[in-house]
Amino acid sequence: MATAKHLMRQCFSKQGALLTFLSIYIFIMVHQSANNKVGSASTRKELNLILILCGGVGSDGDELASDLTRQLRQATVMLKSAVLFSKKRLHFHILADNRNLYSRLVNKTNGWPENYRRKLKFSMHKVWYPEGRDDMRALFRVCATERLFVPDIFPTLDKAIYVDTDLIFMRPVEHLWNEFDNFDQNQISAMSPCLYHYGSERNKIPFYGETGLNAGIMHMDLDRMRNIDDGWTNTNLAMFDKYKSRIKLADQDILNILFHFYPEKIYELPCHWNYRVWQCSQGENKCASAADEGVSILHGNALAFVKGHEMKIQKIFESFEGFELGKDKPGQLFVQIKAGLAQVDHEDMPSKCKDVPGIDSILLKQLKNHIVGAKLSKRF
């Protein structure tokens, strides 16, 4: 009996040790998995970004809004800001309606130093619309609705981020990409709150949440989008057909209608990732997270980078446009922007955002953090 008890104790002791080992192993693997998610920028060789470039005037009829020179200026600044801080290779999939337009943009980067150019990869893709849907091509801005068909155009991509041309990255692109990690199992896309328009009398359509969504930056889990009920494209077309007479802002309206009916499928991107003129032009900062985090992406929609009506935002664009990669130090960029913002105050240039307390700090906090953090300049 004593021998039997001894053997049982040995057996249970070995089993206990094995169970302890397995528990530790599982804990390590789960922890490691949580920190190395499939969607994380750290696990990818390159990050996929979607950009659309088309010529012509859409139904909105604004020639300045459709001006190709302006679009190329803005897209060049966007690319410059993207490579300034990001360490990952950025693969820009450009949907263009002619090769010359695509080549003009790519050629803008040819003179950049090699350490910046090697962060960029470009691919051209032809604009595509479903059969019988050419009436959507010129809705609002030419090709604005093209992003609705990205899951079909890129059947082999699992994830991508759509970006407008009029963006300035104030921190690394991979930080934006890592917002994919915050998706729950049901969410297929991310956009930031609009914070204007959709709650007003001008809007005539159903929309997401309290203030709608802005479509200037859009995370796309393409695998999940393709697999929603009735299919992504069919669902969008159904929304367009039903509300066509009430749609004003093309793709953005269609997406708002869709996520009004499927709110569980959208992840709300924090507003500091899509900071626009209306978030400060009412005399107060309407994006609470920007006060804490600082602006992560500055979005010059409504021609805010070029029209001369909001110089706090336009001065940032002009400073980035004049900044020469490889020749100027990033610290000089920060000094130039800071001086430009001060000039708006001293010379009483057109600006409603200047009435917001601490607006310069809100606009520059992330930029300053990454210039100082990366030790790109010794002094300001």
Side-chain angles (χ1 to χ4, degrees), residues 86-111:
S86 295
K87 296 179 181 179
K88 285 284 182 178
R89 184 164 66 166
L90 308 174
H91 188 170
F92 281 88
H93 301 267
I94 300 176
L95 288 156
D97 56 358
N98 68 79
R99 178 161 288 278
N100 178 59
L101 185 56
Y102 166 80
S103 298
R104 285 173 66 187
L105 177 60
V106 174
N107 290 342
K108 295 283 187 181
T109 69
N110 286 345

Side-chain angles (χ1 to χ4, degrees), residues 20-32:
T20 300
F21 172 78
L22 287 173
S23 297
I24 294 172
Y25 176 78
I26 291 170
F27 173 81
I28 291 172
M29 293 304 293
V30 169
H31 182 71
Q32 202 169 34

Side-chain angles (χ1 to χ4, degrees), residues 79 82-83 88-92 109 112 116-122:
L79 293 174
V83 300
K88 285 284 182 178
R89 184 164 66 166
L90 308 174
H91 188 170
F92 281 88
T109 69
W112 292 358
Y116 291 111
R117 282 192 294 114
R118 65 173 175 240
K119 297 180 186 179
L120 292 171
K121 179 180 179 181
F122 296 105

Side-chain angles (χ1 to χ4, degrees), residues 196-309:
Y196 76 102
H197 175 70
Y198 287 102
S200 71
E201 294 182 357
R202 292 178 297 169
N203 175 62
K204 306 297 181 183
I205 62 163
F207 58 93
Y208 169 83
E210 296 182 2
T211 66
L213 297 163
N214 181 274
I217 300 162
M218 183 178 180
H219 288 64
M220 298 179 169
D221 188 318
L222 297 167
D223 286 338
R224 293 184 182 182
M225 293 170 80
R226 284 186 283 263
N227 291 325
I228 68 169
D229 296 342
D230 298 324
W232 171 259
T233 296
N234 288 338
T235 302
N236 277 280
L237 293 177
M239 300 298 172
F240 173 70
D241 290 339
K242 184 174 181 179
Y243 294 96
K244 183 176 181 180
S245 64
R246 294 154 61 181
I247 288 173
K248 294 181 178 180
L249 301 179
D251 57 309
Q252 182 168 289
D253 278 359
I254 295 168
L255 291 167
N256 267 283
I257 296 168
L258 188 151
F259 289 114
H260 169 83
F261 293 108
Y262 298 93
E264 75 282 358
K265 294 191 179 296
I266 188 75
Y267 166 71
E268 194 170 305
L269 189 68
C271 55
H272 63 82
W273 278 114
N274 190 349
Y275 199 86
R276 304 177 308 285
V277 62
W278 287 287
Q279 287 167 234
C280 59
S281 62
Q282 305 303 308
E284 62 177 330
N285 171 45
K286 292 186 177 295
C287 175
S289 65
D292 298 326
E293 295 285 333
V295 171
S296 295
I297 292 179
L298 187 63
H299 186 179
N301 70 330
L303 307 175
F305 286 157
V306 297
K307 205 170 184 178
H309 65 286

